[in-house]
Amino acid sequence: MMNKKNFLLVVLASVLAFGYEISLNGFFENLNSAGIPQGWVRNGWKGYEPACAVACFPMEGITGNVLRISDVQSKNGAAVNTDFYPGRSGDSIRFSFLARGKGKARLRMYFKTVEGEWNFASPREFAFEPTAEWTRFSATLPVLNGDNGETGSFDVSMETSRQGGELELADFHAELTEGVFRGENPFPQNWTLFCPMDANYEPTVEELAAI
């Protein structure tokens, strides 16, 4: 039987999270007939019309191919998106990629529910300004629930934010760390959570009276 001290100090102060790399073809290989890499697509939102140019090509010193967004004529910019991948609220995605170009750019995610319905564009994003030199950027963004319910999947969007912008990407990686807890609401104040707990543990009358 656990004593009072052990009951109040039940377990580890932290829990190791599990992370794994998402296979989103970050070397931009296996091009389709339109020259776009497998697992990626030009964003077809009407606000991005007329459509930008998307091209992939090898470059010395770069592993795999470079993905280039250019000829951006829309005042809203342009974007390329990945396929959707499993992810739930409480998970976090760490991104690392090489970029160069001009203008403003951003990385953001879009969500679908566990039933596959649209679940909103994330309000959390990573904004950056590429230059003429290759630069390594890193960012971590959370998976969130939306108004339509629990999120079950997400995609990644790489966007140029302005007309005339250009963006080149290479060596793109994303690592998902599964959340220890689900949801994004904070834990109530003046409460303490001790976990994990033995599912069969039953406190004594004295232990309950001492809380």
Side-chain angles (χ1 to χ4, degrees), residues 91-92 96 102 105 116 120 124 136 144 151-152 162 202 208:
D91 295 343
S92 61
S96 176
K102 64 180 182 179
F120 90 118
R124 302 282 295 274
R136 170 72 61 180
L144 304 173
T151 289
R162 297 289 185 272
E202 295 184 5
L208 291 173

Side-chain angles (χ1 to χ4, degrees):
M1 173 65 66
M2 218 185 268
N3 60 32
K4 177 180 178 181
K5 181 178 180 180
N6 288 337
F7 172 68
L8 296 176
L9 300 175
V10 141
V11 33
L12 301 172
S14 61
V15 180
L16 291 177
F18 174 70
Y20 61 89
E21 175 118 8
I22 303 169
S23 300
L24 45 65
N25 189 16
F27 293 131
F28 306 118
E29 299 171 319
N30 302 322
L31 309 183
N32 63 21
S33 59
I36 297 176
Q38 179 180 354
W40 293 78
V41 63
R42 179 170 32 215
N43 191 308
W45 178 48
K46 289 186 178 298
Y48 288 149
E49 294 178 351
C52 67
V54 177
C56 284
F57 50 87
M59 180 176 293
E60 184 176 357
I62 295 295
T63 302
N65 289 323
V66 172
L67 185 150
R68 173 187 288 166
I69 302 173
S70 61
D71 192 23
V72 178
Q73 300 179 42
S74 168
K75 65 179 182 180
N76 297 308
V80 291
N81 292 58
T82 67
D83 290 341
F84 276 81
Y85 297 92
R88 298 172 60 196
S89 179
D91 295 343
S92 61
I93 318 295
R94 177 170 175 78
F95 299 96
S96 176
F97 57 92
L98 291 172
R100 69 177 186 178
K102 64 180 182 179
K104 298 181 182 295
R106 65 180 178 179
L107 181 159
R108 69 188 310 190
M109 295 189 293
Y110 296 88
F111 303 127
K112 288 184 178 180
T113 66
V114 291
E115 292 82 16
E117 298 177 352
W118 176 253
N119 208 24
F120 90 118
S122 176
R124 302 282 295 274
E125 62 183 46
F126 173 64
F128 61 100
E129 295 190 29
T131 67
E133 301 297 326
W134 285 110
T135 303
R136 170 72 61 180
F137 294 95
S138 297
T140 301
L141 297 175
V143 177
L144 304 173
N145 287 331
D147 293 338
N148 290 331
E150 181 182 359
T151 289
S153 62
F154 67 92
D155 78 344
V156 182
S157 179
M158 298 300 297
E159 307 173 2
T160 59
S161 303
R162 297 289 185 272
Q163 184 179 34
E166 291 184 2
L167 181 62
E168 291 185 347
L169 301 167
D171 196 21
F172 195 104
H173 299 273
E175 181 179 278
L176 184 148
T177 298
E178 295 181 348
V180 177
F181 307 107
R182 295 302 174 187
E184 61 267 9
N185 292 327
F187 200 71
Q189 292 184 354
N190 302 321
W191 284 70
T192 302
L193 180 66
F194 298 95
C195 66
M197 284 288 293
D198 183 347
N200 298 315
Y201 174 69
E202 295 184 5
T204 65
V205 174
E206 291 78 13
E207 289 170 336
L208 291 173
I211 297 176

